[in-house]
């Protein structure tokens, strides 16, 4: 049982600059947790605190039921893969991978076995005697992962491991990491990224960090379908969810909203009678919009179109200082610029937020 | 005329002369010798461009030839001639005479001692200081203090250390720090440190180590800062303790810089003269090659043997110099 438990964990630099506060997380053995968040939200700091590279200034970190706040990194049963791979440049691949075991005083035979097994797993067998500088980016990345595997840690920590790879390699390595996780179902992995696709595809649960704290924790689809705030709603999904101001005009199992822009929306979010007249933001993801002839939710003049082949993005004209609304329509739509388009969305795809918070999580 | 004014005038003439040379020689090349017009314009431009680098290198080549190449050749020639026979060619007689002198072999032995001890100790202390001062608040102050001896001339440093090794008659108050401490702790008689054979060599080396530690510290400190932080963190996660991190992660990564520092100090050591000259003048078995050469050339006035010993020093320096320059170039790439 290797559960990881964070209780009211906080980080302050120099007694004044607070970067994280009151982080509470319960990570079960075998989970693949992804930390996402805007840059500077402290996701890497949190990972480094779990690793033991940053001091935890407040709160408690437990691994396997043991308080490890002051336990040195090597004794926490963790291994870390760094963004820049952090391979020792003067050591061969084999030496890089066996360094930790050597320090731990393992027998040479045991070390060789572990290294060879990891090398086979990562298809590095032919490169064992090369120096890191003679390897490609993807190979270096695999050595970095191999260095973690040989130690057979209880918890793997990944700090944006794919951000230095080119797009094609990133996809391939992402799949490799997913396969690696499948081969080690009882090992916990914590993965930091700013790439949504990585988060959505790899995670068993995503932790969205914002404003020094946890914004929402949940499975990828939970975050996509039931975001608890405007922040999470706009952070997950690309392009970001449209937010349109309006006022509740009918409550009940479903809610009807009159939009400031003129249209009307029906949402599957339930409301009470007391919510009548409530100022809300109606959230619709660009991909949930459909064109319609009448009873539209939104109507606007197309300003820019981006044809991506499988879909076309429509950017609508917006008032100065306001985010333009975006619709993602399947297929190719040419010559829509300057046209007025009417859009609607099915009730179960329409989200409602009041004061930044989802009406589902009140 | 006031000397300061003379100095300014010299600078003005020197700098002005240089500017004038480059400007006018270039002008003559482009406008008089190979003008870029007329029927041969293309050919002229090509020819001018072929000559231009040599035109600009000319002053430097003259200076190098006059002050570097010529003295080397002249020294080689002198080392093959004899003073007493009015400069007649005597082959390797001077070298033979030199190899027969015990003072020369003493100088060779001492130079070898210097060669091993000084670069090793300077590099080691420099590395130690660089590492220890890396992350502390007053590290920069400590580094400035340790770097300061670099600014003192070798002779000045020799004088300072002569005072440290100074000995007064027994019973009187010792002004030499070393004797003061020695007398206070051992209660024995004050020692004439610079006359104790073999040991006095090391007392002289201390002066150069004191000076060169600052140099190696500065270079190695920069190299240490250049080590990617993540490799150190990876080592921490891998379970390395600070000493293992230093020797297994940091030192191997700056190995080539350490070698450059080491060889650079080696070159200084091979040429060491001032310290020995000012402190013992080679007495009490402290002779070194450069001081031996000086004694032969300017005290005994024997240009033959003096030049032979100069060639000897050059022979020893050259391979290290070549290696050093190559390595430094590799570093830069």
């Amino acid at each position: 049982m290797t559960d990881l438990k964070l209780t009211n964990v906080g980080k302050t630099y120099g007694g004044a600059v607070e970067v994280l506060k009151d982080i509470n997380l319960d990570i079960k053995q075998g989970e693949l947790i992804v930390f996402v968040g805007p840059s500077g939200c402290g996701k890497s700091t949190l990972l480094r605190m779990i690793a033991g590279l940053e001091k935890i200034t407040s709160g408690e970190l437990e691994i396997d039921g043991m308080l490890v706040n002051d336990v040195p990194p090597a004794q926490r049963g963790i291994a870390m893969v760094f963004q820049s791979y952090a391979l020792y440049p003067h050591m061969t691949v084999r030496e890089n991978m066996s360094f930790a075991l050597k320090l731990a005083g393992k027998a040479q035979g045991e070390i060789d076995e572990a290294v060879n097994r990891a090398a086979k797993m990562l298809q590095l067998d032919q490169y064992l005697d090369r120096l890191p500088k003679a390897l490609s980016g993807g190979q270096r990345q695999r050595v970095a992962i191999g260095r973690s595997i040989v130690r057979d840690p209880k918890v793997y920590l990944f700090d944006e491991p794919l951000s230095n790879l080119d797009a094609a390699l990133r996809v391939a390595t992402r799949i490799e990491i997913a396969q690696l996780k499948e081969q080690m179902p009882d090992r916990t992995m914590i993965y930091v990224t700013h790439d949504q696709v990585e988060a959505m595809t790899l995670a068993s649960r995503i932790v969205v960090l914002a404003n020094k704290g946890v914004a929402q924790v949940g499975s990828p689809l939970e975050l996509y379908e039931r975001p608890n705030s405007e922040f999470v709603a706009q952070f997950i999904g690309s392009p970001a969810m449209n937010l349109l101001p309006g006022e509740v005009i009918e409550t009940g199992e479903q809610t009807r909203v009159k939009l400031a822009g003129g249209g009307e929306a029906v949402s599957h979010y339930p409301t009470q009678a007391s919510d009548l007249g409530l100022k809300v933001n109606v959230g619709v993801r660009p991909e949930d919009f459909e064109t319609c002839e009448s009873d539209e939710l939104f109507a606007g003049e197309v300003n820019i179109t981006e044809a991506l082949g499988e879909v076309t993005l429509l950017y609508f004209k917006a008032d100065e200082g306001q985010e333009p609304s975006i619709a993602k329509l399947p297929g190719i739509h040419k010559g829509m610029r300057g046209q007025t388009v009417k859009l609607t969305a099915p009730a179960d795809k329409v989200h409602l937020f009041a004061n930044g918070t989802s009406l589902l999580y009140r | 005329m006031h000397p300061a004014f003379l100095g300014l005038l010299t600078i003005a003439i020197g700098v002005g002369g240089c500017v004038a040379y480059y400007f006018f020689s270039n002008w003559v090349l482009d406008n008089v010798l190979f003008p870029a017009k007329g029927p041969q314009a293309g050919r002229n431009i090509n020819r001018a461009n072929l000559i231009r680098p040599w035109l600009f290198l000319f002053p430097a080549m003259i200076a190098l030839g006059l002050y570097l190449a010529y003295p080397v050749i002249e020294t080689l020639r002198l080392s093959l001639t004899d003073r007493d026979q009015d400069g007649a060619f005597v082959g390797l007689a001077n070298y033979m005479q030199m190899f027969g002198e015990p003072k020369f072999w003493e100088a060779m032995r001492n130079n070898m001692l210097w060669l091993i001890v000084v670069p090793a100790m300077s590099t080691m202390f420099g590395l130690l200081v660089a590492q220890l001062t890396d992350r502390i608040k007053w590290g920069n102050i400590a580094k400035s203090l340790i770097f300061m001896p670099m600014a003192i001339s070798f002779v000045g440093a020799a004088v300072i250390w002569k005072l440290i090794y100074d000995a007064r008659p027994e019973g009187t108050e010792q002004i030499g720090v070393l004797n003061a401490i020695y007398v206070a702790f051992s209660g024995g008689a004050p020692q004439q440190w610079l006359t104790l054979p073999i040991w006095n060599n090391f007392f002289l080396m201390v002066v150069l180590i004191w000076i060169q530690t600052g140099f190696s510290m500065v270079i190695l400190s920069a190299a240490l800062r250049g080590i990617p932080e993540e490799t150190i963190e990876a080592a921490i996660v891998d379970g390395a303790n600070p000493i293992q991190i230093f020797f297994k992660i940091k030192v191997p990564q700056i190995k080539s810089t350490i070698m450059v520092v080491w060889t650079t100090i080696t070159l200084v050591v091979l040429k060491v003269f001032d310290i020995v000259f000012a402190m013992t003048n080679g007495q009490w078995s402290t002779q070194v090659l450069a001081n031996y050469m000086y004694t032969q050339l300017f005290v005994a006035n024997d240009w033959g043997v003096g030049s032979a010993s100069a060639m000897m020093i050059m022979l020893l320096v050259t391979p290290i110099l070549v290696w050093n320059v190559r390595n430094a170039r590799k570093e830069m790439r």
Side-chain angles (χ1 to χ4, degrees), chain A residues 266-303:
Chain A
V266 179
S267 167
H268 68 296
Y269 283 29
T271 42
Q272 296 134 17
S274 59
D275 291 329
L276 209 61
L278 184 69
K279 299 273 182 219
V280 291
N281 273 340
V282 174
V284 184
R285 296 195 182 277
E287 55 270 35
D288 294 335
F289 270 134
E290 302 162 351
T291 48
C292 63
E293 298 299 322
S294 57
D295 295 337
E296 78 276 7
L297 191 160
F298 171 83
E301 189 187 328
V302 177
N303 191 19

Side-chain angles (χ1 to χ4, degrees), chain B residues 152-170:
Chain B
I152 301 173
S153 75
F154 282 13
V155 174
V159 171
I160 293 172
W161 281 87
K162 231 181 151 173
L163 282 171
I164 289 176
Y165 297 140
D166 193 72
R168 292 286 149 107
E170 202 175 348

Side-chain angles (χ1 to χ4, degrees), chain B residues 140-181:
Chain B
N140 278 334
I141 298 172
K143 276 196 247 182
S144 311
L145 287 175
I146 290 166
F147 187 70
M148 245 176 232
M150 279 288 285
I152 301 173
S153 75
F154 282 13
V155 174
V159 171
I160 293 172
W161 281 87
K162 231 181 151 173
L163 282 171
I164 289 176
Y165 297 140
D166 193 72
R168 292 286 149 107
E170 202 175 348
T172 58
E173 199 163 347
Q174 295 298 328
I175 66 155
V177 177
L178 194 58
N179 265 323
I181 295 170

Side-chain angles (χ1 to χ4, degrees), chain B residues 226-247:
Chain B
I227 295 175
E229 186 65 27
E230 286 196 335
T231 61
I232 293 159
E233 289 180 340
I236 293 173
V237 174
D238 272 349
N241 64 36
I243 292 175
Q244 287 167 326
I245 289 173
F246 182 68
F247 284 107

